[in-house]
Amino acid sequence: MEPRIGVFVCHCGINIASTVDVKRVVEAIKGYPGVVHAEDYVYMCSDPGQELIRSRIKEKKLNGVVVAACSPTLHEATFRNTVSQVGLNPYRCEIANIREHCSWIHTDRDKATEKAIKIVKSIVEKVKLNDELLPISIPITKRALVIGGGIAGIQAALDIANAGYEVILVEKNPSIGGHMAQLSETFPTLDCAQCILTPKMVEVGQHPNIKLYNYAEVEDLSGYVGNFKVKIRLKASYVDWSKCVGCGVCMEKCPTKVPSEFEMGLTTRKAIYVPFPQAVPNKPVIDRENCLYFKTGKCRICEKVCTFGAIKFDEQDEFVEEEVGAIIVATGYELYPIEKIGEYGGGKYKDVINGLQFERLLSASGPTGGGVQRPSDRKVPKRVAFVSCVGSRDPELHKPYCSKVCCMYLTKHAMLYKHRVPDGEPIVFYIDIRSDGKGYEEFVQRAQEEEHVTYIRGKVSKIYEDNGELVLLAVDTLTGEPLEVRVDMVVLGMAIVPSPAVYELAKKLKIQIDANGFLTEAHPKLRPVETLTPGIFLAGCAHAPKDIPDTVAQASAAASKVLEMFSQKELQHDPMVATVDEDRCSGCGVCVTLCPYGAREIEVKDGKRVAKVNEAKCEGCGSCIAGCPAGACQQRNLKDEQLVNMVKAVLE
Amino acid sequence: MKIFYYPGCTLKTQARNFECSAMEVMKLLGYELVELNRWNCCGTVYSLASDDLIHKVAPIRNLVRVKEQGGDKVVTLCAMCYNTLKQANVFFNSDQEARDKINSFMDTEIDYEGDVEVLHLLTVLRDEVGFDNISKKVVRKLNHIKVAPYYGCLLLRPSTVAIDDAENPSIMEELLHALGVETIDFPYRNECCGTYNTVSAVDLVIDRTYRIVGLARNLGADVIVTSCPLCQFNLEVRQKDVKERFPEFEQLPVIYFTQLMGVALGVPTERLGFELNHIKPKVLMEL
Amino acid sequence: MINKVIELSEQNLYACYQCGKCSAGCPSVKLMDIMPNQVIRYLQIGKPDKVLQCKTIWICASCYTCSVRCPRGIDLTRVMEAIRLIQLRKNIDYIKVREISEDVLVSVPQIALVAEFRKHTA
């Protein structure tokens, strides 16, 4: 095919034109071999810009297009779509990046223009040898996996299930509900967390489209977008849930007491337990670590008292495999451990507690029935300090980021404390109040104006116990006065950190985590619920600290991304994948080792070992091509010959 | 076993009780503290300005002495000396350019290679002698007293030279427990005593002493144990000034940890230098 | 002036977000005329005179409490030293050595005197 290439140079307003002499680029490329047309336009991605490209293709009978503009990650799809509207194969259109790779990073106009010309020439060389390609079609399993049964996972699962698709929900704890189930009331409306959450939990438990695996963990994942295979470990609960009716006699009679995770250690549970009364499913598990029988070989009281014969001490972990097309990761958060804050006692003072512990003290279903009593002596505290930014916004010693919810929940705590203990004195220590959600600022103002909560601007430096009181060494930075504040109890707004298990899970799912252990989104602004691995989405605090409204919104967004996928007959995959010249391939298998996507395998064909490419899995990274010792691998539209010509064009 | 020992100025004067008790105790544990020949002043405070190299020569010169005399480590008792020598050593090992300059400032000395280890006696007791071994040598029961361990600043800060966690140290408590002594959880154990402000801003030191000693007494301590001659001076001698201002204030003895060790290990009390303590620790001396 | 302090102390004063943790934990803060965090604040907003004339920099006894707790990793101990040096290098002593009483001279340990001279005199 005789090349008839058109070059379209974009000004991008002044983004490119202020540094690159666009007219000169056009002039320089006009006489280049294979180029039959070149022109510039102020915004090539605009409607008139795209129309210009379409009409020139028709007029000049172009069979290849180079758009010299911004990065292909932004507008490659746009322009490929543009050219295909007038019958040109989209893969005959390429982007020459003269913005991110040139105008934005240089200041010398002359040299930048020279560089832009070279970039354009090299892309022209590429287009000359580009084949006309068709996208690869992939079948799709329209069933979703949601990992994590907190409010994010619950919301996402319900949205997908209500749209008519099956959902597998995996929760590591005995019950779904997550941290939200522990909360007393929620800011800024003060509605009861349990009251708004439990209907959703029940809905999940009863939904015909949701298969719930509680007390289970994702063991392994294989496959690719649309076609994942997931192996799930069902942890032995030592209780046959099909026989158990949830009468609770076993829990009553069990002699072993263990600090309750749900009650944040403020009270105990038994070794056979349901984490909380509204648990879904409401079936007990035996905690093997602490069970007397597992520790000493004696006891089995639960077995004796169970009239339904539901106790099974010989149960083992089991594995199930499920096929799914899309995955939502919603593994949630934990609080940064108080042990790391030495200057606040590092956990040695009973009456210095974290926010979730205080939630339990406020909760009507909590260990004190909602009456605020301090842990050490059950005394009603008359003065309580609430300290924000504990571990957050501290890049030197702890976590650099803002945990986002502490300002609001500490305000709520101060307010609820005042409601429970009307003559009590709440003091909030803050450094900035972040109240950016709907109704949040009004909520903080209400705490100050109506509830007379004292806010002191300054970070507490040290907390110690003296004579049954806690002493806070503090400062009021607004008056410039040092303070020594004595209180009965301290609530620390600990930093939010990702659930520790997410690190292992991310490795299994081949998704990325950031420096702080949170899951990385595909684009911070435009693809906030997708990971870089196609078909895997994220929601909730596994991604970053966020409040309930944001978590629910993100969960619904992730669900809608899944539904978008499921609304298609099949998935389309980029055809720029690796190919194998079977005559040259020696079957050495280097490509299989190198491929990060598991897309390469060895096949025996007519008695000869040859490498194959699973086109659906291949992401076109090029590792196998670079690594192939026989030179048997090529990548479509990035063939050796093209690369050589491109390099020559640059070096000319 | 012999270990090179850097005394510093105050160990030879006001804090002779620190030195003599340490010598006695170490002898009993089978160690000899060998005083470094020709030691000079460490500078007492580590120089903190980026352009100030000359004040780092004095501490480094002491480390050269250790090398000259065939050693590779040196132990200090005074927390200020420990901090100054150690910070200078850490700095010397972190900055090649400064290192060359300091060596060229000292042209009559052998070049220092940064290879002397600066230790405090507490870490030697923990890591070389072993608290378990000390425990085995206890001959006097001291379970009738409660001790407030006081670390002060310079053993714990800055982090580059700290012998223990800055906020919740435990080395002194562990030693005291090995001696069979009960300790109090003392929140002010790592709070500054006011240090050299005792010269020109004595009010500040009186306030600090009032608070630190007062809290120790409130929490039930019978004696405060320290490892810095300046802390010891401020917390003990300034109690007289505190008493003048607050007549209800009750005094508390402040001694060196080595003196308490001496009592527990059976060193005759008259060899532990208690005559230099202004407030006599009667609970220990009348055993 | 802020640049001079940054140069001498090797600390980035622009990093300070004024949380006040340094002042809250400072053992000598009661006698200071401006808070330790305000020392940085006045430099940030270009009012070096407030800092050069304050008592705070002389009361600071380099105990490093603020340094080990600063969430922004500012070693305020070194900042205070830098400001002291800017004054001392003009040959302005903070104390008059001759006025130290005989009583004090004979009673305090040498380390106190040497440290005092190092920190408070040119």
Side-chain angles (χ1 to χ4, degrees), chain A residues 398-413:
Chain A
H398 306 291
K399 300 291 173 188
Y401 52 83
C402 164
S403 289
K404 210 156 180 237
V405 290
C406 327
C407 286
M408 292 309 298
Y409 79 65
L410 291 175
T411 296
K412 176 194 76 177
H413 282 171

Side-chain angles (χ1 to χ4, degrees), chain A residues 329 331 498 502 506 509-525 527-534 536-544 546 554:
Chain A
V329 187
T331 46
V502 79
L509 303 190
K510 296 191 175 69
I511 55 176
Q512 286 160 318
I513 51 177
D514 65 21
N516 298 310
F518 291 108
L519 298 175
T520 308
E521 65 278 33
H523 188 281
K525 294 173 185 71
R527 295 174 68 195
V529 299
E530 295 153 84
T531 67
L532 280 172
T533 306
I536 304 187
F537 305 90
L538 45 83
C541 287
H543 163 243
K546 49 178 76 71
Q554 198 186 18

Side-chain angles (χ1 to χ4, degrees), chain C:
Chain C
M1 162 92 173
I2 184 166
N3 291 334
K4 205 165 178 177
V5 177
I6 289 172
E7 185 65 34
L8 272 177
S9 67
E10 298 177 305
Q11 302 302 308
N12 184 358
L13 300 186
Y14 296 105
C16 172
Y17 60 15
Q18 294 295 325
C19 71
K21 200 175 186 183
C22 48
S23 305
C26 177
S28 311
V29 73
K30 271 197 198 161
L31 271 89
M32 291 176 171
D33 48 356
I34 61 175
M35 298 281 103
N37 65 295
Q38 291 174 327
V39 169
I40 299 184
R41 188 69 195 143
Y42 281 122
L43 292 172
Q44 284 176 330
I45 62 171
K47 295 197 169 174
D49 289 351
K50 283 275 194 185
V51 169
L52 290 173
Q53 285 152 18
C54 74
K55 264 171 67 185
T56 300
I57 55 169
W58 306 107
I59 299 286
C60 163
S62 304
C63 78
Y64 301 94
T65 303
C66 50
S67 303
V68 297
R69 291 186 187 151
C70 176
R72 303 308 312 271
I74 298 171
D75 190 344
L76 188 49
T77 311
R78 298 193 61 185
V79 175
M80 296 288 193
E81 178 106 334
I83 304 166
R84 279 193 297 269
L85 284 178
I86 288 171
Q87 284 299 72
L88 293 176
R89 286 173 184 181
K90 296 172 194 158
N91 224 3
I92 306 169
D93 284 353
Y94 174 63
I95 56 150
K96 294 200 170 62
V97 176
R98 245 174 287 164
E99 287 174 13
I100 299 175
S101 72
E102 184 69 24
D103 204 25
V104 170
L105 280 178
V106 297
S107 67
V108 304
Q110 286 93 324
I111 36 177
L113 286 171
V114 179
E116 172 75 16
F117 298 155
R118 289 280 314 276
K119 293 282 187 179
H120 287 166
T121 64

Side-chain angles (χ1 to χ4, degrees), chain A residues 342-343 345-346 348-349 462 464-467 473 484, chain B residues 165 167-168 185 187-191 211 215 218-219:
Chain A
E343 65 270 37
K348 74 178 163 195
Y349 304 127
K462 179 165 175 154
Y464 63 90
E465 211 169 60
D466 177 22
N467 213 1
L473 299 185
E484 198 175 305
Chain B
D165 183 80
E167 303 293 352
N168 288 295
D185 180 13
Y188 280 179
R189 62 196 164 165
N190 57 350
E191 293 266 326
R211 290 174 57 109
L215 184 65
N218 255 351
L219 295 170

